[in-house]
């Protein structure tokens, strides 16, 4: 501790100025920590997204992992990055280490160094590993590799100073498997206040929007089935799809004229399109990971005041229903989804009521407010 400030190392796989999901969340947290003027922050990261920032940094030679790579290459990339980051942490002195998972293996190496050096650490869990591997069919929970990765997960949480995670079900999971009660906290994702835009007019046609990853756990097939049904019932309803991933080829090869696919766009462009839409879609596959997930896009739809349809039946879906800002369905209920969309198009008062409800709750879920709440917890735990 120099100059009365606590030295904190923040470990990420991409730099703060990147718009990648792995760092957008942490950026708000670190800014809130910095605003207290009680911490000296140093960022450990890859050079992806790097721009000169106000924080000192240690930039790796290794690259971040990519979902577009094969599983083997991704795991090797995580290991190499974890080794380099752990070496950099080993040769620097800090009072506290803050790391985020995923990348799961990268984070394990960094936390191992924290334990060896006996430095208190905070671990932020955005996705549950190895549960993601189990749900994706990559590993079986019962075989030796599944047991091995489960034990690695336990080591990640054990003796952590603070564990934060994104959903209530993840909080319960971590508490149950590690018998931790007092140091596991819900830290929602939320949205950035500076993205909120007001628009004078919606799109001329009734428009649904989906944005984000189009990978393993996104139900792209349901999106296409819905578009096909809509094309037969109401040709004036359009679906805008923005993003990329391992399933985007299904959309690119679609013949459906009511789909407009934009691929990967800058977030500024995405945020200019969301408020013009009438309904936001969040379709995930029906598995343990998705049932416990809370996609960031839901917070962004709330920020822009558009009602939401969620699959599968899940924590996120219950939140949407309980706050009366939309509906949740299973992926088998495509007829119900279709009926709901047509009803909201024809009954604008119902749509407006849902939209008003999103506006009523949105200020609770800005990343800035959520980060400030976390810093209060951190200060209490540190007795500052």
């Amino acid at each position: 501790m120099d100059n009365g400030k606590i030295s904190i190392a923040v470990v990420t796989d991409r730099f703060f100025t990147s718009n990648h999901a792995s760092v957008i969340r942490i950026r708000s947290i670190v800014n809130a920590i910095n605003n207290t003027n009680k911490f000296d922050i140093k960022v450990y990261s890859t050079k992806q997204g790097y721009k000169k920032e106000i924080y000192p940094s240690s930039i790796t030679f290794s690259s971040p992992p990519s979902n577009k790579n094969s599983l083997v290459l991704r795991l090797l990339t995580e290991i190499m990055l974890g080794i380099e980051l752990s070496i950099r942490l080993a040769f620097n002195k800090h009072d506290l280490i803050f790391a985020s998972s995923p990348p799961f293996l990268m984070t394990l190496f960094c936390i191992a160094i924290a334990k060896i050096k006996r430095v208190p650490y905070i671990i932020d869990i955005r996705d549950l590993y190895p549960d993601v591997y189990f749900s994706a069919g990559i590993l079986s929970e019962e075989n030796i590799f599944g047991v091995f990765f489960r034990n690695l997960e336990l080591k990640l949480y054990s003796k952590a100073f603070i564990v934060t995670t994104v959903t209530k079900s993840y909080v319960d999971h971590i508490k149950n498997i590690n018998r931790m009660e007092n140091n596991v906290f819900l830290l929602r994702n939320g949205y950035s206040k500076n993205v909120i835009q007001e628009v004078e007019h919606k799109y001329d046609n009734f428009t649904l929007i989906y944005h984000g990853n189009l990978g393993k756990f996104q139900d792209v097939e349901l999106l296409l089935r819905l578009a096909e049904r809509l094309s037969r019932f109401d040709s004036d309803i359009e679906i805008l799809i923005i993003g990329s991933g391992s399933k985007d080829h299904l959309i690119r090869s679609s013949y459906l004229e009511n789909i407009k696919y934009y691929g990967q766009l800058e977030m500024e462009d995405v945020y200019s399109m969301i408020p013009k839409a009438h309904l936001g879609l969040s379709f995930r596959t029906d598995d343990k990971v998705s049932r416990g997930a809370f996609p960031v896009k839901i917070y962004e739809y709330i920020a822009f005041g558009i009602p939401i349809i969620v699959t599968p039946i899940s924590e996120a879906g219950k939140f949407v229903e309980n706050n009366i800002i939309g509906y949740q369905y299973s992926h088998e209920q495509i007829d119900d989804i279709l009926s709901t969309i047509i009803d909201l198009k024809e009954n604008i008062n119902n749509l407006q009521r849902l939209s008003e409800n999103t506006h009523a709750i949105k200020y609770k879920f800005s990343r800035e407010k959520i980060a400030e709440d976390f810093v209060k917890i951190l200060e209490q735990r540190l007795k500052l």
Side-chain angles (χ1 to χ4, degrees):
M1 183 182 294
D2 296 322
N3 301 320
K5 293 186 177 182
I6 293 173
S7 172
I8 181 170
V10 177
V11 186
T12 68
D13 65 334
R14 289 166 174 82
F15 205 74
F16 286 0
T17 43
S18 167
N19 280 324
H20 195 272
S22 63
V23 291
I24 288 176
R25 163 185 175 83
I26 299 174
R27 183 189 308 153
S28 298
I29 297 170
V30 172
N31 287 339
I33 291 172
N34 185 60
N35 289 340
T36 67
N37 202 33
K38 297 176 182 178
F39 298 85
D40 282 327
I41 298 168
K42 185 171 183 178
V43 179
Y44 291 77
S45 170
T46 65
K47 64 183 178 181
Q48 183 164 329
Y50 177 75
K51 294 178 184 176
K52 190 172 178 61
E53 275 269 359
I54 61 173
Y55 309 113
S57 56
S58 179
I59 304 301
T60 66
F61 297 104
S62 304
S63 300
S66 170
N67 288 328
K68 294 182 179 180
N69 293 337
S70 67
L71 174 64
V72 172
L73 181 57
R74 178 181 170 83
L75 294 179
L76 287 174
T77 304
E78 286 191 28
I79 290 169
M80 294 300 296
L81 179 57
I83 291 171
E84 182 177 353
L85 286 169
S86 62
I87 292 171
R88 289 174 181 269
L89 288 169
F91 286 96
N92 285 271
K93 184 179 179 181
H94 295 286
D95 302 310
L96 193 62
I97 294 174
F98 186 114
S100 183
S101 175
F104 179 59
L105 298 181
M106 178 204 84
T107 307
L108 283 169
F109 279 98
C110 297
I111 297 310
I113 286 296
K115 289 183 175 182
I116 291 169
K117 296 184 71 176
R118 297 184 179 179
V119 177
Y121 65 91
I122 300 168
I123 180 72
D124 182 52
I125 304 297
R126 302 187 324 278
D127 277 317
L128 286 180
Y129 281 78
D131 291 74
V132 170
Y133 297 147
F134 301 151
S135 293
I138 295 169
L139 289 176
S140 168
E141 194 164 2
E142 287 76 29
N143 69 23
I144 187 170
F145 295 106
V147 173
F148 173 71
F149 274 93
R150 182 66 81 194
N151 286 331
L152 289 179
E153 181 193 19
L154 289 171
K155 292 182 183 298
L156 194 63
Y157 307 142
S158 66
K159 299 182 180 179
F161 181 62
I162 291 175
V163 179
T164 58
T165 190
V166 292
T167 71
K168 291 179 180 178
S169 63
Y170 288 7
V171 168
D172 292 341
H173 169 84
I174 294 168
K175 286 182 176 181
N176 288 338
I177 70 168
N178 222 46
R179 297 181 180 178
M180 304 168 72
E181 288 294 334
N182 299 323
N183 63 337
V184 184
F185 299 93
L186 175 63
L187 187 64
R188 293 185 180 276
N189 271 315
Y191 65 89
S192 295
K193 284 194 297 187
N194 60 6
V195 308
I196 298 178
Q197 303 176 28
E198 299 292 335
V199 294
E200 293 185 7
H201 303 289
K202 296 281 189 179
Y203 290 113
D204 291 336
N205 286 340
F206 193 85
T207 300
L208 320 178
I209 190 166
Y210 175 98
H211 75 285
N213 184 28
L214 295 167
K216 176 74 175 178
F217 294 102
Q218 282 66 47
D219 202 340
V220 176
E221 295 84 355
L222 178 58
L223 273 173
L224 293 173
R225 285 194 291 132
L226 177 62
E228 194 276 329
R229 293 285 188 93
L230 284 170
S231 68
R232 289 190 276 130
F233 280 89
D234 193 327
S235 59
D236 291 332
I237 298 177
E238 294 184 338
I239 303 179
L240 310 185
I241 301 177
I242 306 162
S244 62
S246 60
K247 290 185 179 178
D248 60 23
H249 66 281
L250 298 176
I251 298 168
R252 286 188 276 106
S253 62
S254 170
Y255 63 89
L256 295 164
E257 295 182 357
N258 59 348
I259 286 180
K260 291 185 178 179
Y261 178 53
Y262 292 87
Q264 195 72 35
L265 297 179
E266 293 294 327
M267 290 310 299
E268 292 79 5
D269 296 322
V270 177
Y271 293 150
S272 71
M273 298 169 71
I274 293 175
K276 297 178 186 177
H278 298 83
L279 273 175
L281 303 178
S282 178
F283 290 173
R284 289 181 61 105
T285 53
D286 191 359
D287 49 65
K288 181 180 178 181
V289 169
S290 293
R291 289 190 291 273
F294 201 120
V296 174
K297 63 173 66 67
I298 292 177
Y299 293 113
E300 291 167 337
Y301 295 148
I302 291 170
F304 290 109
I306 65 171
I308 308 152
I309 296 179
V310 176
T311 70
I313 304 297
S314 58
E315 178 176 330
K318 290 174 184 175
F319 174 91
V320 166
E321 284 195 337
N322 290 342
N323 285 280
I324 317 176
I325 58 175
Y327 304 90
Q328 69 166 337
Y329 296 102
S330 70
H331 69 275
E332 292 97 350
Q333 293 178 284
I334 188 166
D335 291 334
D336 295 321
I337 297 171
L338 180 68
S339 297
T340 296
I341 292 168
I342 292 174
D343 176 70
L344 290 173
K345 181 195 174 192
E346 294 177 350
N347 296 283
I348 198 67
N349 289 338
N350 292 343
L351 185 70
Q352 184 62 31
R353 177 176 57 87
L354 297 174
S355 179
E356 289 171 356
N357 291 341
T358 66
H359 285 298
I361 67 169
K362 70 181 180 182
Y363 292 106
K364 299 178 185 178
F365 301 109
S366 74
R367 286 196 184 103
E368 292 79 6
K369 183 182 185 307
I370 291 168
E372 289 169 4
D373 291 342
F374 166 73
V375 170
K376 290 176 184 176
I377 294 171
L378 177 60
E379 290 179 327
Q380 289 173 358
R381 298 279 297 178
L382 291 170
K383 298 179 180 180
L384 295 180

